[in-house]
Coordinates of all heavy atoms in Angstrom, one line a residue:
M1 N 1.3 -21.9 9.8 CA 1.5 -20.4 9.8 C 0.3 -19.8 10.6 O -0.8 -20.1 10.4 CB 1.5 -19.9 8.3 CG 1.6 -18.5 8.2 SD 2.2 -17.9 6.6 CE 0.6 -17.8 5.7
T2 N 0.7 -18.8 11.4 CA -0.3 -18.0 12.2 C -0.9 -16.9 11.3 O -0.2 -16.2 10.7 CB 0.3 -17.5 13.4 OG1 1.0 -18.5 14.1 CG2 -0.7 -16.8 14.3
V3 N -2.2 -16.8 11.4 CA -2.9 -15.7 10.7 C -3.1 -14.6 11.6 O -3.7 -14.8 12.7 CB -4.2 -16.2 10.0 CG1 -5.0 -15.1 9.4 CG2 -4.0 -17.3 9.1
P4 N -2.8 -13.3 11.3 CA -3.0 -12.2 12.3 C -4.5 -12.0 12.5 O -5.3 -12.2 11.6 CB -2.4 -11.0 11.6 CG -2.3 -11.4 10.1 CD -2.2 -12.9 10.1
D5 N -4.9 -11.6 13.7 CA -6.3 -11.3 13.9 C -6.7 -9.9 13.4 O -7.8 -9.5 13.5 CB -6.6 -11.4 15.4 CG -5.8 -10.5 16.3 OD1 -4.9 -9.9 15.8 OD2 -6.1 -10.5 17.5
H6 N -5.7 -9.1 13.0 CA -6.0 -7.9 12.3 C -4.9 -7.6 11.3 O -3.8 -8.3 11.3 CB -6.0 -6.7 13.3 CG -4.6 -6.4 13.9 ND1 -4.1 -7.2 14.9 CD2 -3.7 -5.5 13.6 CE1 -2.9 -6.7 15.2 NE2 -2.7 -5.7 14.5
H7 N -5.2 -6.8 10.3 CA -4.3 -6.5 9.3 C -3.7 -5.1 9.4 O -4.4 -4.2 10.0 CB -5.0 -6.6 7.9 CG -5.4 -8.0 7.6 ND1 -4.6 -9.0 7.3 CD2 -6.7 -8.6 7.6 CE1 -5.3 -10.1 7.1 NE2 -6.5 -9.9 7.3
T8 N -2.6 -4.8 8.7 CA -2.1 -3.5 8.6 C -1.7 -3.3 7.1 O -1.4 -4.2 6.4 CB -0.9 -3.2 9.5 OG1 0.2 -4.1 9.1 CG2 -1.2 -3.3 10.9
V9 N -1.9 -2.0 6.7 CA -1.6 -1.7 5.3 C -0.5 -0.5 5.3 O -0.6 0.4 6.1 CB -2.8 -1.2 4.5 CG1 -2.5 -0.7 3.2 CG2 -3.8 -2.3 4.4
T10 N 0.5 -0.7 4.5 CA 1.5 0.4 4.3 C 1.5 0.7 2.9 O 1.5 -0.2 2.0 CB 2.9 -0.1 4.7 OG1 2.9 -0.5 6.1 CG2 3.9 1.0 4.6
L11 N 1.4 2.0 2.6 CA 1.5 2.5 1.2 C 2.8 3.2 1.0 O 3.1 4.1 1.7 CB 0.3 3.4 0.9 CG 0.2 4.0 -0.5 CD1 0.0 2.9 -1.5 CD2 -0.9 5.0 -0.6
L12 N 3.6 2.7 0.1 CA 4.9 3.3 -0.2 C 4.7 4.3 -1.4 O 4.1 3.9 -2.4 CB 5.9 2.2 -0.7 CG 6.1 1.1 0.4 CD1 7.1 0.0 -0.2 CD2 6.7 1.7 1.7
V13 N 5.1 5.5 -1.1 CA 4.9 6.6 -2.0 C 6.1 7.4 -2.3 O 7.2 7.1 -1.8 CB 3.8 7.5 -1.4 CG1 2.5 6.8 -1.2 CG2 4.3 8.1 -0.1
R14 N 6.0 8.5 -3.1 CA 7.1 9.4 -3.4 C 6.4 10.8 -3.6 O 5.3 10.9 -4.1 CB 7.8 8.9 -4.6 CG 8.5 10.0 -5.4 CD 9.3 9.4 -6.6 NE 10.4 8.6 -6.1 CZ 10.7 7.4 -6.5 NH1 10.0 6.8 -7.5 NH2 11.8 6.8 -6.0
Q15 N 7.1 11.8 -3.2 CA 6.6 13.2 -3.4 C 6.4 13.4 -4.9 O 7.3 13.0 -5.7 CB 7.6 14.2 -2.8 CG 7.6 14.1 -1.2 CD 6.3 14.5 -0.6 OE1 5.7 15.5 -1.0 NE2 5.9 13.8 0.4
G16 N 5.4 14.2 -5.2 CA 5.2 14.5 -6.6 C 4.6 13.4 -7.5 O 4.5 13.6 -8.7
C17 N 4.1 12.4 -6.9 CA 3.6 11.2 -7.6 C 2.1 11.3 -7.6 O 1.4 11.1 -6.6 CB 4.1 9.9 -6.9 SG 3.2 8.4 -7.5
H18 N 1.5 11.6 -8.8 CA 0.0 11.7 -8.9 C -0.7 10.4 -8.5 O -1.7 10.4 -7.8 CB -0.3 12.2 -10.3 CG -1.8 12.3 -10.5 ND1 -2.6 13.3 -9.9 CD2 -2.7 11.5 -11.2 CE1 -3.9 13.1 -10.3 NE2 -3.9 12.0 -11.1
G19 N -0.1 9.3 -9.0 CA -0.7 8.0 -8.7 C -0.7 7.7 -7.2 O -1.6 7.1 -6.7
C20 N 0.3 8.2 -6.5 CA 0.4 8.0 -5.0 C -0.7 8.8 -4.3 O -1.3 8.2 -3.4 CB 1.8 8.5 -4.5 SG 3.1 7.5 -5.2
V21 N -1.0 10.0 -4.8 CA -2.1 10.7 -4.2 C -3.4 10.0 -4.4 O -4.2 9.9 -3.4 CB -2.2 12.2 -4.8 CG1 -3.4 12.9 -4.4 CG2 -0.9 12.9 -4.5
E22 N -3.7 9.5 -5.6 CA -4.9 8.7 -5.8 C -5.0 7.5 -5.0 O -6.0 7.1 -4.4 CB -5.0 8.3 -7.3 CG -5.3 9.5 -8.2 CD -5.4 9.1 -9.7 OE1 -5.6 7.8 -10.0 OE2 -5.2 9.9 -10.5
A23 N -3.8 6.8 -4.8 CA -3.8 5.5 -4.0 C -4.0 5.9 -2.6 O -4.7 5.1 -1.9 CB -2.4 4.8 -4.2
E24 N -3.5 7.0 -2.1 CA -3.7 7.4 -0.7 C -5.2 7.6 -0.4 O -5.7 7.2 0.6 CB -2.9 8.6 -0.3 CG -1.5 8.3 -0.1 CD -0.6 9.6 0.2 OE1 -0.9 10.7 -0.4 OE2 0.3 9.5 1.0
R25 N -5.9 8.3 -1.4 CA -7.4 8.5 -1.2 C -8.1 7.1 -1.2 O -9.0 6.9 -0.3 CB -7.9 9.3 -2.3 CG -7.7 10.8 -2.2 CD -8.5 11.6 -3.1 NE -8.2 11.3 -4.5 CZ -7.5 12.1 -5.4 NH1 -7.1 13.2 -4.9 NH2 -7.3 11.7 -6.6
D26 N -7.7 6.2 -2.1 CA -8.4 4.9 -2.1 C -8.1 4.1 -0.8 O -9.1 3.6 -0.2 CB -8.0 4.1 -3.3 CG -8.5 4.7 -4.7 OD1 -9.4 5.5 -4.6 OD2 -7.9 4.3 -5.7
I27 N -6.9 4.1 -0.4 CA -6.5 3.3 0.8 C -7.2 3.9 2.0 O -7.7 3.1 2.8 CB -5.0 3.3 0.9 CG1 -4.3 2.6 -0.2 CG2 -4.6 2.7 2.3 CD1 -4.5 1.1 -0.2
D28 N -7.2 5.2 2.1 CA -7.8 5.8 3.3 C -9.3 5.5 3.3 O -9.8 5.2 4.4 CB -7.6 7.4 3.2 CG -8.1 8.1 4.4 OD1 -7.7 7.7 5.5 OD2 -9.0 9.0 4.3
R29 N -10.0 5.5 2.2 CA -11.4 5.2 2.1 C -11.7 3.7 2.5 O -12.5 3.4 3.4 CB -12.0 5.5 0.8 CG -13.5 5.2 0.6 CD -14.0 5.6 -0.8 NE -13.1 5.1 -1.9 CZ -13.2 3.9 -2.4 NH1 -14.0 3.0 -1.8 NH2 -12.4 3.5 -3.4
I30 N -11.0 2.8 1.8 CA -11.2 1.4 2.0 C -10.8 1.0 3.4 O -11.6 0.3 4.1 CB -10.4 0.6 1.0 CG1 -10.9 0.9 -0.4 CG2 -10.4 -0.9 1.3 CD1 -10.0 0.4 -1.5
C31 N -9.6 1.4 3.9 CA -9.2 1.0 5.2 C -10.1 1.6 6.3 O -10.4 1.0 7.3 CB -7.7 1.4 5.5 SG -6.6 0.3 4.6
G32 N -10.6 2.9 6.0 CA -11.5 3.5 7.0 C -12.8 2.7 7.1 O -13.3 2.6 8.2
E33 N -13.3 2.3 6.0 CA -14.6 1.6 6.0 C -14.4 0.2 6.7 O -15.3 -0.3 7.4 CB -15.0 1.3 4.6 CG -15.6 2.5 3.9 CD -15.8 2.3 2.4 OE1 -15.8 1.1 1.9 OE2 -16.1 3.3 1.7
L34 N -13.2 -0.4 6.6 CA -13.0 -1.7 7.2 C -12.4 -1.7 8.5 O -12.2 -2.7 9.2 CB -12.1 -2.6 6.2 CG -12.7 -2.8 4.8 CD1 -11.6 -3.6 4.0 CD2 -14.0 -3.6 4.9
G35 N -12.0 -0.5 9.0 CA -11.4 -0.4 10.3 C -10.0 -0.9 10.4 O -9.5 -1.4 11.4
V36 N -9.3 -0.8 9.2 CA -7.9 -1.4 9.1 C -6.9 -0.2 9.2 O -7.0 0.8 8.5 CB -7.7 -2.1 7.8 CG1 -6.2 -2.6 7.6 CG2 -8.6 -3.3 7.8
P37 N -5.9 -0.3 10.2 CA -4.9 0.8 10.2 C -4.0 0.8 9.0 O -3.7 -0.2 8.5 CB -4.2 0.5 11.5 CG -4.3 -0.9 11.7 CD -5.7 -1.3 11.1
W38 N -3.6 2.0 8.6 CA -2.7 2.1 7.5 C -1.8 3.3 7.7 O -2.1 4.3 8.4 CB -3.4 2.2 6.2 CG -4.1 3.5 5.9 CD1 -5.2 4.0 6.4 CD2 -3.5 4.6 5.1 NE1 -5.5 5.3 5.9 CE2 -4.4 5.6 5.1 CE3 -2.3 4.7 4.3 CZ2 -4.2 6.8 4.4 CZ3 -2.1 5.9 3.7 CH2 -3.1 6.9 3.7
T39 N -0.6 3.2 7.1 CA 0.4 4.3 7.1 C 0.9 4.5 5.7 O 0.8 3.6 4.9 CB 1.5 4.0 8.1 OG1 2.2 2.8 7.6 CG2 1.1 3.9 9.5
S40 N 1.6 5.6 5.5 CA 2.3 5.7 4.2 C 3.8 6.0 4.5 O 4.1 6.6 5.6 CB 1.7 6.8 3.3 OG 1.9 8.1 4.0
Q41 N 4.7 5.7 3.6 CA 6.1 5.9 3.8 C 6.7 6.3 2.5 O 6.4 5.7 1.4 CB 6.8 4.6 4.3 CG 8.2 4.9 4.6 CD 8.8 3.7 5.4 OE1 8.2 2.8 5.8 NE2 10.1 3.9 5.6
D42 N 7.5 7.4 2.5 CA 8.1 7.8 1.3 C 9.4 7.0 1.0 O 10.3 6.9 1.9 CB 8.6 9.3 1.5 CG 9.0 10.0 0.2 OD1 9.7 9.3 -0.6 OD2 8.6 11.1 0.0
V43 N 9.4 6.3 -0.2 CA 10.5 5.5 -0.5 C 11.9 6.2 -0.6 O 12.9 5.6 -0.4 CB 10.3 4.7 -1.8 CG1 9.1 3.7 -1.7 CG2 10.2 5.6 -3.0
D44 N 11.8 7.5 -0.8 CA 13.0 8.3 -1.0 C 13.7 8.6 0.4 O 14.8 9.1 0.4 CB 12.8 9.6 -1.8 CG 12.4 9.3 -3.2 OD1 13.0 8.3 -3.8 OD2 11.6 9.9 -3.8
D45 N 13.0 8.3 1.5 CA 13.5 8.5 2.8 C 14.4 7.3 3.2 O 15.0 7.4 4.3 CB 12.4 8.8 3.8 CG 11.7 10.1 3.6 OD1 12.3 11.0 3.0 OD2 10.6 10.3 4.1
D46 N 14.4 6.2 2.5 CA 15.1 5.0 2.9 C 15.7 4.4 1.7 O 15.0 4.0 0.7 CB 14.0 4.0 3.5 CG 14.7 2.8 4.0 OD1 15.2 2.0 3.2 OD2 14.6 2.5 5.2
R47 N 17.0 4.3 1.7 CA 17.8 3.8 0.5 C 17.3 2.4 0.1 O 17.2 2.1 -1.1 CB 19.3 3.9 0.8 CG 20.1 3.6 -0.4 CD 21.6 3.9 -0.2 NE 22.1 3.0 0.8 CZ 23.2 3.3 1.5 NH1 23.9 4.4 1.3 NH2 23.7 2.4 2.4
E48 N 17.1 1.5 1.0 CA 16.7 0.2 0.7 C 15.3 0.1 0.1 O 15.1 -0.6 -0.9 CB 16.7 -0.7 1.9 CG 18.1 -1.0 2.4 CD 18.2 -1.9 3.6 OE1 17.2 -2.7 3.9 OE2 19.2 -1.9 4.3
L49 N 14.4 0.9 0.6 CA 13.0 1.0 0.0 C 13.1 1.6 -1.4 O 12.4 1.1 -2.3 CB 12.1 1.8 0.9 CG 11.6 1.2 2.2 CD1 10.8 2.1 3.0 CD2 10.9 -0.1 2.0
R50 N 13.9 2.6 -1.6 CA 14.0 3.2 -2.9 C 14.5 2.2 -3.9 O 14.1 2.1 -5.0 CB 14.9 4.5 -2.8 CG 15.0 5.2 -4.1 CD 15.7 6.5 -4.0 NE 17.1 6.4 -3.5 CZ 17.5 6.8 -2.3 NH1 16.7 7.6 -1.6 NH2 18.7 6.6 -1.9
A51 N 15.6 1.5 -3.5 CA 16.1 0.5 -4.4 C 15.2 -0.6 -4.7 O 15.1 -1.1 -5.9 CB 17.4 -0.1 -3.8
E52 N 14.4 -1.1 -3.8 CA 13.4 -2.2 -4.0 C 12.2 -1.8 -4.7 O 11.7 -2.5 -5.6 CB 13.1 -2.8 -2.6 CG 12.1 -4.0 -2.7 CD 12.7 -5.2 -3.3 OE1 13.9 -5.4 -3.3 OE2 11.9 -6.1 -3.8
Y53 N 11.6 -0.6 -4.3 CA 10.3 -0.3 -4.8 C 10.2 1.0 -5.6 O 9.1 1.4 -6.1 CB 9.3 -0.1 -3.6 CG 9.2 -1.4 -2.7 CD1 9.8 -1.5 -1.5 CD2 8.5 -2.5 -3.2 CE1 9.6 -2.6 -0.7 CE2 8.3 -3.6 -2.4 CZ 8.9 -3.7 -1.2 OH 8.8 -4.8 -0.4
G54 N 11.3 1.8 -5.7 CA 11.2 3.1 -6.2 C 10.7 3.2 -7.6 O 10.1 4.2 -8.0
D55 N 10.8 2.2 -8.4 CA 10.3 2.3 -9.8 C 8.9 1.8 -10.0 O 8.3 1.8 -11.1 CB 11.2 1.5 -10.8 CG 11.3 0.0 -10.5 OD1 11.0 -0.3 -9.3 OD2 11.8 -0.7 -11.3
R56 N 8.3 1.5 -8.8 CA 6.9 0.9 -8.9 C 5.9 1.7 -8.0 O 4.8 1.2 -7.9 CB 6.9 -0.6 -8.5 CG 7.7 -1.4 -9.4 CD 7.6 -2.9 -9.0 NE 8.5 -3.1 -7.9 CZ 8.3 -4.0 -7.0 NH1 7.3 -4.7 -7.0 NH2 9.2 -4.1 -6.0
V57 N 6.3 2.8 -7.4 CA 5.3 3.5 -6.5 C 4.1 3.9 -7.3 O 4.2 4.3 -8.5 CB 6.0 4.6 -5.8 CG1 7.1 4.2 -4.9 CG2 6.5 5.7 -6.7
P58 N 3.0 3.9 -6.6 CA 2.7 3.5 -5.2 C 2.7 2.0 -5.1 O 2.3 1.3 -6.0 CB 1.4 4.1 -4.9 CG 0.7 4.1 -6.2 CD 1.7 4.4 -7.2
V59 N 3.2 1.5 -4.0 CA 3.2 0.1 -3.7 C 2.4 -0.2 -2.4 O 2.6 0.6 -1.4 CB 4.7 -0.5 -3.5 CG1 4.7 -1.9 -3.1 CG2 5.5 -0.2 -4.8
I60 N 1.6 -1.2 -2.4 CA 0.7 -1.5 -1.3 C 1.3 -2.7 -0.6 O 1.5 -3.8 -1.3 CB -0.7 -1.8 -1.7 CG1 -1.3 -0.6 -2.5 CG2 -1.6 -2.1 -0.5 CD1 -2.4 -1.0 -3.4
L61 N 1.5 -2.6 0.7 CA 2.0 -3.7 1.5 C 0.9 -4.1 2.4 O 0.3 -3.2 3.1 CB 3.2 -3.4 2.3 CG 4.4 -2.9 1.5 CD1 5.6 -2.6 2.5 CD2 4.9 -3.9 0.5
V62 N 0.5 -5.4 2.5 CA -0.5 -5.8 3.5 C 0.2 -6.8 4.4 O 0.8 -7.7 4.0 CB -1.7 -6.6 2.8 CG1 -2.6 -7.2 3.8 CG2 -2.4 -5.6 1.9
D63 N 0.2 -6.4 5.7 CA 0.9 -7.2 6.7 C 2.4 -7.4 6.3 O 3.0 -8.4 6.5 CB 0.3 -8.5 6.9 CG -1.2 -8.4 7.4 OD1 -1.5 -7.4 8.1 OD2 -2.0 -9.2 7.0
G64 N 3.0 -6.3 5.7 CA 4.4 -6.3 5.4 C 4.8 -7.0 4.1 O 6.0 -7.1 3.8
R65 N 3.8 -7.6 3.4 CA 4.1 -8.3 2.2 C 3.5 -7.5 1.0 O 2.4 -6.9 1.1 CB 3.4 -9.6 2.2 CG 4.1 -10.6 3.2 CD 3.5 -11.9 3.0 NE 4.3 -12.8 3.9 CZ 4.0 -14.1 4.0 NH1 2.9 -14.6 3.4 NH2 4.7 -14.9 4.8
E66 N 4.2 -7.5 -0.1 CA 3.7 -6.7 -1.3 C 2.4 -7.3 -1.8 O 2.3 -8.5 -2.0 CB 4.8 -6.8 -2.4 CG 4.4 -5.9 -3.5 CD 5.5 -5.8 -4.6 OE1 6.7 -5.9 -4.3 OE2 5.1 -5.6 -5.8
H67 N 1.5 -6.4 -1.9 CA 0.1 -6.8 -2.4 C -0.1 -6.3 -3.8 O -0.8 -7.0 -4.6 CB -0.9 -6.2 -1.4 CG -2.3 -6.4 -1.9 ND1 -3.0 -7.6 -1.8 CD2 -3.2 -5.6 -2.5 CE1 -4.2 -7.5 -2.3 NE2 -4.4 -6.3 -2.8
G68 N 0.4 -5.2 -4.1 CA 0.2 -4.6 -5.5 C 0.9 -3.3 -5.6 O 1.5 -2.8 -4.7
Y69 N 0.9 -2.8 -6.9 CA 1.6 -1.6 -7.2 C 0.9 -0.8 -8.3 O 0.1 -1.4 -9.0 CB 3.1 -1.7 -7.4 CG 3.4 -2.7 -8.5 CD1 3.7 -2.2 -9.8 CD2 3.5 -4.0 -8.3 CE1 4.0 -3.1 -10.8 CE2 3.9 -4.9 -9.3 CZ 4.1 -4.4 -10.5 OH 4.4 -5.3 -11.6
W70 N 1.2 0.4 -8.4 CA 0.7 1.4 -9.4 C -0.7 1.8 -9.3 O -1.1 2.9 -9.5 CB 1.0 0.9 -10.9 CG 2.4 0.9 -11.3 CD1 3.4 1.6 -10.7 CD2 3.0 0.1 -12.3 NE1 4.6 1.3 -11.3 CE2 4.4 0.4 -12.3 CE3 2.5 -0.8 -13.2 CZ2 5.2 -0.2 -13.2 CZ3 3.4 -1.4 -14.1 CH2 4.7 -1.1 -14.1
R71 N -1.6 0.9 -8.9 CA -3.0 1.3 -8.6 C -3.6 0.4 -7.6 O -3.2 -0.8 -7.4 CB -3.8 1.4 -9.9 CG -4.0 0.1 -10.6 CD -4.9 0.4 -11.9 NE -5.2 -0.8 -12.6 CZ -6.1 -1.7 -12.2 NH1 -6.8 -1.5 -11.1 NH2 -6.4 -2.8 -12.9
V72 N -4.7 0.9 -7.0 CA -5.4 0.0 -6.0 C -6.5 -0.8 -6.7 O -7.3 -0.2 -7.4 CB -6.0 0.9 -4.9 CG1 -6.8 0.1 -3.9 CG2 -5.0 1.7 -4.2
E73 N -6.4 -2.1 -6.6 CA -7.5 -2.9 -7.1 C -8.4 -3.2 -5.9 O -8.2 -4.0 -5.1 CB -6.9 -4.2 -7.6 CG -6.0 -4.0 -8.8 CD -5.4 -5.3 -9.3 OE1 -6.1 -6.3 -9.4 OE2 -4.1 -5.4 -9.4
E74 N -9.5 -2.4 -5.9 CA -10.3 -2.3 -4.7 C -10.8 -3.7 -4.2 O -10.7 -4.0 -3.0 CB -11.5 -1.4 -4.9 CG -12.3 -1.2 -3.6 CD -13.3 0.0 -3.7 OE1 -13.1 0.8 -4.5 OE2 -14.1 0.0 -2.7
E75 N -11.5 -4.4 -5.1 CA -12.0 -5.7 -4.7 C -11.0 -6.7 -4.2 O -11.2 -7.4 -3.2 CB -12.9 -6.3 -5.8 CG -14.1 -5.6 -6.1 CD -15.0 -5.4 -4.8 OE1 -15.2 -6.3 -4.1 OE2 -15.4 -4.2 -4.6
R76 N -9.8 -6.7 -4.8 CA -8.7 -7.6 -4.4 C -8.2 -7.2 -3.0 O -7.9 -8.0 -2.2 CB -7.6 -7.5 -5.4 CG -6.5 -8.4 -5.2 CD -5.6 -8.5 -6.4 NE -4.4 -9.2 -6.1 CZ -3.2 -8.7 -5.7 NH1 -3.1 -7.4 -5.7 NH2 -2.2 -9.5 -5.4
L77 N -8.1 -5.9 -2.8 CA -7.6 -5.4 -1.5 C -8.6 -5.7 -0.4 O -8.3 -6.2 0.7 CB -7.3 -3.9 -1.5 CG -6.9 -3.3 -0.2 CD1 -5.6 -3.9 0.3 CD2 -6.7 -1.8 -0.4
R78 N -9.9 -5.5 -0.7 CA -10.9 -5.8 0.3 C -10.9 -7.3 0.7 O -11.0 -7.6 1.8 CB -12.3 -5.4 -0.2 CG -12.6 -3.9 -0.2 CD -14.0 -3.6 -0.7 NE -14.2 -2.2 -0.7 CZ -14.6 -1.5 0.4 NH1 -14.8 -2.1 1.5 NH2 -14.8 -0.2 0.3
A79 N -10.7 -8.1 -0.3 CA -10.6 -9.6 -0.1 C -9.4 -9.9 0.8 O -9.5 -10.7 1.7 CB -10.6 -10.3 -1.4
A80 N -8.3 -9.3 0.6 CA -7.1 -9.5 1.4 C -7.3 -9.1 2.8 O -6.6 -9.6 3.7 CB -5.9 -8.9 0.7
L81 N -8.1 -8.1 3.0 CA -8.3 -7.5 4.4 C -9.5 -8.2 5.2 O -9.7 -7.8 6.3 CB -8.5 -6.0 4.3 CG -7.3 -5.3 3.7 CD1 -7.6 -3.8 3.6 CD2 -6.1 -5.5 4.5
R82 N -10.2 -9.1 4.6 CA -11.3 -9.8 5.2 C -10.8 -10.8 6.2 O -9.7 -11.4 6.0 CB -12.2 -10.4 4.2 CG -13.1 -9.4 3.6 CD -14.2 -10.0 2.8 NE -14.8 -9.0 2.0 CZ -14.7 -8.9 0.7 NH1 -14.1 -10.0 0.0 NH2 -15.2 -8.0 -0.1

């Protein structure tokens, strides 16, 4: 298996989600410190994402794979991005 030379983070969110706002702040800070690009995507804009992840937002994807949900575990995320 090939390991990417850089990582990407996607945060799956929903409007009106307090936990999503907190996760966005944490992801922005951590990824900013590590120089890792990240984006957010609203699960309600995509029927498949809503069906898969809608009951667990916020959901963190690292390199397209589910890393965690509901809250950011900072040390675990940092370890995944090293």
